[in-house]
Amino acid sequence: MNTHVRIGAGALVLVACGPGAGNSVAHTPASEADGAAAGGVSTSQDGSAESTVPEAGTSAPEQDAAVVIAHCTGTPKSMPSSPAPTLTPGTWVNISAKSVPFGGDDGTNAGDHVYAQGLAVDPCNPAVLYQTVSGFNGTNNTVEPSGGLYKTTNAGSTWTKIGPMDEPINIRIDPGNSQHLYAGDGVRGNTSGFWVSNDGGATWAIPAGFASAAKTVSCNDVYHVSPDPANFNHVLVSFHNPWNNGNVVGDGGTLTAGVLESFDGGNTWTIHNPPAGWSGAYGYDVFFLSNPALGIGDGKTWLYGTQGKGYWRTADAGQTWTQVSTNDMKHGGSQTYYTASGTLYVGGSPNILQSSDNGLTFKGVTPVPSQGFIGITGDGTTLYTGATTTGPMLTSTDGVAWHSFNSQQFNDGPFELSYDATDRIVYAAIWLGGTWALQLN
C-alpha cells in the first residue's frame, strides 16, 4: 500500500497503514489559519531518518506569539461556565455526554460499539475537561457519528463535540498554556494522525512535518501521544499499525513500528526505528519516564509498551532498548503514575507493574485475577484503578493490598483516569460506561 501526502493550503490526504487498514484517510483541518510551519525529516548518511530540529540541549523554535492565547499562572481555580454536576462524596457519578450512547447502539447500526477512551483535565481551570470517544460499527469496521472529541466547560454538566477527528484516542493539554492541545487519532476512521490546536480545541490542524514523517514510515495511525513533562513541545508518538506496510523496518524486522519524536510541538520529527524484538506486537504506547517535580528521569528516558513482547526501556532516546518486563501492555493502551515517593506504576496485562527504580526493574502487583489493567492514577495517598472486566473500582495505599472502593460495578474498567487536585475529584473514562467523577471526602 502506498502512502500519499499533499502539503499546502488544502487538505492533507494520507492512506492508512498496516495490514487490514484499508481505509483512505482524508484530513481537512477545521481552520488552516493555525496550521503549523513547514517541517519534516531528513536522511543521514547511514540511511536513518533525522529531523530538522535543534540538537538536544538547544532551544526549540519559538512559538508564534499570535497563537499563544493564555497561560496558566498562579493557583489553578475551577471556574465552571454554568453550574457543575452535583457530586456525592464517596460515590462515583456518571457525568457522560448525554448525546453519546456509551456501551451500545448509537442509532445508526445495530453493530455499533461506543466507548470512552482518553480523558484530560485542564490544569488551569479543572472545570474544563476533554473526553475522546470511539464510535464504530463492529460488523464492517466503519466509524459511526458518536466518535469524536467532546469538551465540557462546566465539569460535565454539558458537553460539546469539537474538532474534525472521528476516532481520537488521546488528548493532551499543555500545563503552561491550556489553549495548546495535542490529539492522537488512529486505529480506524478517516482522520488518523497527530493533531494540534492553539485555541482550546476551536480549530485543529495536522502539522505538515507530521504528514512528511508519516509518509516516510508509511503510517499515520497514531496510538499514543506522550508530551515531555518538562517541555510540552517535546513530544513522542507511537503507532497502532506497523510501519512500512508491515514490511521490514530497519533492523526491527516485519510487522513493527517505532517512535516519532518532535522538539517543536510537531513541526519537525525524528524517526526512531524499532529494534529487533517488537515484531508482531502492535499497537504500541510510549511514555516518558520522567517526573521533574520529584527529580526523576529525563527527556531521554522512555518506556515502550507492546502487545505481546512486554515492556522496553531506553535511557538514550531510542538509540538502545532493553526489555524490562515480559508483562504485556493491555490491548487499548496503558497509563503511568508516580507516587509522591517516586514509585512508578504502569498498567499492564495481566498485571499492574510497580517499579522503585524508574523502570529499570518491575514486579507485578495484581489487585484481582483479571485480563489486565489500563488506567491508573492517584491523589497523593491513594491509588485508583480498575480491571478490564466487569467489577468495582479498586484502591490501594501501597500498591500491594487492593480493595474495592465501594459496591458500584463498571463494565471493562477505566481507559484513563485523571485527578483534579484543586477540587479533589477523580475522573474516570470507563470503556463502555462513559465519563465518571468521584468527589473525595
Coordinates of all heavy atoms in Angstrom, one line a residue, residues 199-244:
D199 N -6.1 27.0 20.3 CA -7.2 27.8 20.7 C -8.2 27.0 21.5 O -9.4 27.2 21.4 CB -7.9 28.6 19.6 CG -8.3 27.6 18.4 OD1 -8.4 26.4 18.7 OD2 -8.6 28.1 17.3
G200 N -7.8 26.1 22.3 CA -8.6 25.3 23.2 C -9.6 24.4 22.5 O -10.6 24.0 23.0
G201 N -9.2 24.0 21.3 CA -9.9 23.0 20.5 C -10.9 23.6 19.5 O -11.6 22.8 18.9
A202 N -10.9 24.9 19.4 CA -11.9 25.5 18.4 C -11.5 25.1 17.0 O -12.3 24.9 16.1 CB -11.9 27.0 18.6
T203 N -10.2 25.1 16.7 CA -9.6 24.8 15.4 C -8.5 23.8 15.6 O -7.8 23.8 16.6 CB -9.2 26.0 14.6 OG1 -8.1 26.7 15.3 CG2 -10.3 26.9 14.3
W204 N -8.3 22.9 14.6 CA -7.3 21.9 14.6 C -6.6 21.8 13.3 O -7.1 22.1 12.2 CB -7.9 20.6 15.0 CG -8.4 20.5 16.3 CD1 -9.7 20.9 16.7 CD2 -7.8 19.9 17.5 NE1 -9.9 20.6 18.1 CE2 -8.7 20.0 18.6 CE3 -6.5 19.4 17.7 CZ2 -8.4 19.6 19.9 CZ3 -6.2 18.9 19.0 CH2 -7.2 19.1 20.1
A205 N -5.3 21.4 13.3 CA -4.6 21.1 12.1 C -3.5 20.0 12.3 O -3.0 19.8 13.5 CB -3.9 22.3 11.6
I206 N -3.2 19.2 11.3 CA -2.1 18.3 11.3 C -0.9 19.0 10.8 O -0.9 19.5 9.7 CB -2.4 17.0 10.5 CG1 -3.6 16.2 11.0 CG2 -1.2 16.2 10.3 CD1 -3.9 15.0 10.2
P207 N 0.2 19.2 11.6 CA 1.4 19.8 11.1 C 1.9 19.2 9.9 O 1.9 17.9 9.8 CB 2.4 19.7 12.3 CG 1.5 19.5 13.5 CD 0.3 18.7 13.0
A208 N 2.4 20.0 8.9 CA 2.9 19.4 7.7 C 4.1 18.5 8.0 O 4.3 17.5 7.3 CB 3.4 20.6 6.8
G209 N 4.9 18.8 9.0 CA 6.0 18.0 9.4 C 5.6 16.6 9.8 O 6.3 15.6 9.5
F210 N 4.4 16.5 10.5 CA 4.0 15.1 10.8 C 3.6 14.4 9.5 O 3.8 13.2 9.4 CB 2.8 15.2 11.8 CG 2.3 13.8 12.1 CD1 2.9 13.0 13.0 CD2 1.2 13.3 11.4 CE1 2.4 11.7 13.3 CE2 0.7 12.0 11.6 CZ 1.3 11.2 12.6
A211 N 2.9 15.1 8.6 CA 2.5 14.4 7.4 C 3.7 13.9 6.6 O 3.7 12.8 6.0 CB 1.7 15.4 6.5
S212 N 4.8 14.7 6.7 CA 6.0 14.3 6.0 C 6.6 13.0 6.6 O 7.0 12.1 6.0 CB 7.0 15.4 6.0 OG 8.2 15.0 5.4
A213 N 6.7 13.0 8.0 CA 7.2 11.9 8.7 C 6.3 10.7 8.5 O 6.8 9.5 8.3 CB 7.4 12.2 10.2
A214 N 5.0 10.8 8.5 CA 4.1 9.7 8.3 C 4.3 9.1 6.9 O 4.2 7.9 6.7 CB 2.7 10.2 8.5
K215 N 4.5 10.0 5.9 CA 4.8 9.5 4.6 C 6.1 8.6 4.6 O 6.1 7.6 3.9 CB 4.9 10.6 3.6 CG 5.2 10.2 2.2 CD 5.3 11.4 1.3 CE 5.6 11.0 -0.2 NZ 5.7 12.1 -1.1
T216 N 7.1 9.1 5.3 CA 8.3 8.3 5.3 C 8.2 6.9 5.9 O 8.8 6.0 5.4 CB 9.4 9.1 6.1 OG1 9.6 10.4 5.5 CG2 10.7 8.4 6.2
V217 N 7.4 6.8 6.9 CA 7.2 5.5 7.6 C 6.0 4.7 7.0 O 5.7 3.6 7.5 CB 7.1 5.6 9.1 CG1 8.4 6.3 9.7 CG2 5.9 6.4 9.5
S218 N 5.3 5.4 6.1 CA 4.1 4.8 5.5 C 3.0 4.4 6.6 O 2.4 3.4 6.5 CB 4.4 3.5 4.7 OG 5.2 3.8 3.6
C219 N 2.8 5.3 7.5 CA 1.8 5.1 8.6 C 1.5 6.4 9.3 O 2.4 7.2 9.7 CB 2.4 4.1 9.6 SG 1.1 3.5 10.7
N220 N 0.2 6.7 9.4 CA -0.2 7.8 10.2 C -1.2 7.4 11.3 O -1.9 8.3 11.9 CB -0.9 8.9 9.3 CG -2.2 8.3 8.7 OD1 -2.4 7.1 8.7 ND2 -3.1 9.2 8.1
D221 N -1.2 6.2 11.6 CA -2.2 5.5 12.5 C -1.7 5.7 14.0 O -1.2 4.7 14.6 CB -2.3 4.1 12.1 CG -3.4 3.3 12.8 OD1 -4.2 4.0 13.5 OD2 -3.4 2.1 12.8
V222 N -1.9 6.8 14.6 CA -1.4 7.2 15.9 C -2.2 6.4 17.0 O -3.4 6.3 17.0 CB -1.5 8.7 16.2 CG1 -1.1 9.0 17.6 CG2 -0.6 9.4 15.2
Y223 N -1.4 5.8 17.9 CA -2.0 5.1 19.0 C -1.8 5.7 20.4 O -2.5 5.5 21.3 CB -1.3 3.7 19.0 CG -2.2 2.6 19.7 CD1 -3.5 2.3 19.2 CD2 -1.6 1.7 20.7 CE1 -4.2 1.3 19.8 CE2 -2.4 0.7 21.2 CZ -3.7 0.5 20.8 OH -4.4 -0.6 21.3
H224 N -0.7 6.5 20.5 CA -0.4 7.2 21.8 C 0.4 8.4 21.6 O 1.3 8.5 20.7 CB 0.3 6.2 22.7 CG 0.4 6.7 24.1 ND1 -0.7 6.5 25.0 CD2 1.3 7.4 24.8 CE1 -0.4 7.0 26.2 NE2 0.8 7.5 26.1
V225 N 0.1 9.5 22.3 CA 0.8 10.8 22.3 C 1.3 11.0 23.7 O 0.5 11.0 24.7 CB -0.1 11.9 21.9 CG1 0.6 13.2 22.0 CG2 -0.6 11.7 20.4
S226 N 2.6 11.3 23.8 CA 3.2 11.5 25.2 C 4.1 12.7 25.2 O 5.2 12.7 24.6 CB 4.1 10.2 25.5 OG 4.7 10.4 26.8
P227 N 3.6 13.8 25.8 CA 4.5 15.0 25.9 C 5.5 14.9 27.0 O 5.2 14.2 28.0 CB 3.5 16.1 26.2 CG 2.1 15.6 26.0 CD 2.2 14.1 26.2
D228 N 6.6 15.5 26.9 CA 7.6 15.5 28.0 C 7.1 16.3 29.1 O 6.7 17.5 28.9 CB 8.9 16.2 27.4 CG 10.1 16.1 28.3 OD1 9.9 16.0 29.5 OD2 11.2 16.2 27.8
P229 N 7.1 15.8 30.3 CA 6.6 16.6 31.5 C 7.4 17.8 31.7 O 6.8 18.8 32.3 CB 6.8 15.6 32.7 CG 6.8 14.2 32.1 CD 7.4 14.4 30.7
A230 N 8.6 17.9 31.2 CA 9.4 19.1 31.4 C 9.3 20.1 30.3 O 9.7 21.3 30.4 CB 10.9 18.7 31.6
N231 N 8.7 19.7 29.1 CA 8.7 20.5 27.9 C 7.6 20.0 27.0 O 7.8 19.0 26.3 CB 10.0 20.6 27.2 CG 10.0 21.3 25.9 OD1 9.0 22.1 25.6 ND2 11.1 21.2 25.2
F232 N 6.4 20.7 27.0 CA 5.3 20.2 26.2 C 5.6 20.1 24.7 O 5.0 19.3 24.0 CB 4.1 21.1 26.5 CG 2.8 20.5 26.0 CD1 2.1 19.5 26.7 CD2 2.2 20.9 24.8 CE1 0.9 18.9 26.3 CE2 1.0 20.4 24.4 CZ 0.3 19.4 25.1
N233 N 6.5 21.0 24.2 CA 6.9 20.9 22.8 C 7.7 19.7 22.4 O 7.8 19.4 21.3 CB 7.6 22.2 22.4 CG 6.7 23.4 22.3 OD1 5.6 23.3 21.9 ND2 7.2 24.6 22.6
H234 N 8.2 19.0 23.4 CA 9.0 17.8 23.2 C 7.9 16.6 23.3 O 7.4 16.4 24.4 CB 10.1 17.6 24.2 CG 10.9 16.4 24.0 ND1 11.7 15.9 25.0 CD2 11.1 15.6 22.9 CE1 12.4 14.8 24.6 NE2 12.0 14.7 23.3
V235 N 7.6 16.0 22.3 CA 6.5 15.0 22.3 C 6.9 13.7 21.5 O 7.6 13.8 20.5 CB 5.3 15.7 21.7 CG1 5.5 16.2 20.3 CG2 4.1 14.7 21.8
L236 N 6.4 12.6 22.0 CA 6.6 11.3 21.4 C 5.3 10.8 20.9 O 4.3 11.0 21.5 CB 7.2 10.3 22.4 CG 8.5 10.7 23.1 CD1 8.9 9.6 24.1 CD2 9.6 10.9 22.1
V237 N 5.3 10.1 19.8 CA 4.1 9.5 19.2 C 4.5 8.0 18.8 O 5.5 7.7 18.2 CB 3.7 10.2 17.9 CG1 2.6 9.5 17.2 CG2 3.2 11.6 18.3
S238 N 3.6 7.1 19.2 CA 3.7 5.7 18.8 C 2.4 5.3 18.0 O 1.5 6.1 17.9 CB 3.8 4.8 20.1 OG 2.7 5.0 21.0
F239 N 2.5 4.1 17.5 CA 1.5 3.8 16.4 C 0.8 2.5 16.7 O 1.2 1.6 17.4 CB 2.2 3.7 15.1 CG 2.7 5.1 14.6 CD1 3.9 5.6 15.1 CD2 2.0 5.8 13.6 CE1 4.3 6.9 14.7 CE2 2.4 7.0 13.2 CZ 3.6 7.6 13.8
H240 N -0.4 2.4 16.0 CA -1.2 1.2 16.1 C -0.8 0.1 15.1 O -0.5 -1.0 15.5 CB -2.7 1.6 15.9 CG -3.6 0.4 15.8 ND1 -4.2 0.0 14.6 CD2 -4.0 -0.5 16.7 CE1 -5.0 -1.0 14.8 NE2 -4.9 -1.4 16.1
N241 N -0.8 0.5 13.9 CA -0.4 -0.5 12.8 C 1.1 -0.4 12.5 O 1.8 0.5 12.8 CB -1.2 -0.2 11.5 CG -2.5 -0.9 11.5 OD1 -2.6 -2.1 11.8 ND2 -3.6 -0.3 11.1
P242 N 1.6 -1.4 11.9 CA 3.1 -1.5 11.5 C 3.4 -0.4 10.5 O 2.6 0.0 9.7 CB 3.3 -2.9 10.9 CG 2.1 -3.7 11.4 CD 1.0 -2.7 11.5
W243 N 4.7 0.0 10.6 CA 5.3 0.9 9.6 C 5.6 0.1 8.3 O 5.6 -1.1 8.3 CB 6.6 1.5 10.1 CG 6.4 2.6 11.2 CD1 5.2 3.1 11.7 CD2 7.4 3.3 11.8 NE1 5.4 4.0 12.6 CE2 6.8 4.2 12.7 CE3 8.8 3.3 11.8 CZ2 7.5 5.1 13.6 CZ3 9.5 4.2 12.6 CH2 8.9 5.1 13.5
N244 N 5.8 0.9 7.3 CA 6.3 0.3 6.0 C 5.3 -0.8 5.5 O 5.8 -1.8 4.9 CB 7.7 -0.2 6.1 CG 8.4 -0.4 4.8 OD1 8.0 0.2 3.8 ND2 9.4 -1.3 4.7

